[in-house]
Amino acid sequence: MELDTDKVKELATIKNQPIKIISYQDLLLLNDTIDQIHSWIATLSLINNFFANSKNPLNKKKIIKEFHANSYLFATFYEDFLLRTTTLEKQIKDLKARPKVRI
């Protein structure tokens, strides 16, 4: 059954802005990417504690070991963060390019 082209209209918001087609699956993908970024919170708090902990007496060997370990953690975080933000930007760009809802 074909729709009459004269009767097809776009769904619009209160200010007559057309609504994009965004599925629940698209929202879940965005949420998963954001959750992956949020998963770094605990690890980053450990790195933050290392650099904020300046009241303890200096133990050079311990500081060198912890600094080395934290530098690896940060490098891993940085690579993952760049990947996730790129993925998030691509997902948002794809959603912006979606067609508008027509009924």
Side-chain angles (χ1 to χ4, degrees), residues 1 3-4 19 23 27 29 32 37 39 43 45 49 51 61 64-65 68 74 76 79 86 88 92 96-97 103:
M1 179 175 179
L3 291 175
D4 186 10
I19 299 173
S23 69
L27 296 175
L29 286 173
D32 286 344
I37 292 171
S39 70
T43 306
S45 69
N49 288 341
F51 288 109
K61 288 183 181 181
I64 291 170
K65 287 179 185 178
H68 186 66
F74 181 77
T76 304
E79 289 174 15
T86 303
L88 195 57
I92 291 172
K96 285 181 179 179
I103 56 172

Side-chain angles (χ1 to χ4, degrees), residues 28-45:
L28 289 177
L29 286 173
L30 283 174
N31 193 39
D32 286 344
T33 305
I34 291 171
D35 285 345
Q36 291 169 352
I37 292 171
H38 279 126
S39 70
W40 281 100
I41 291 174
T43 306
L44 291 175
S45 69

Side-chain angles (χ1 to χ4, degrees), residues 41-59:
I41 291 174
T43 306
L44 291 175
S45 69
L46 290 173
I47 294 173
N48 186 40
N49 288 341
F50 170 73
F51 288 109
N53 193 6
S54 61
K55 295 181 181 179
N56 290 341
L58 293 177
N59 182 345

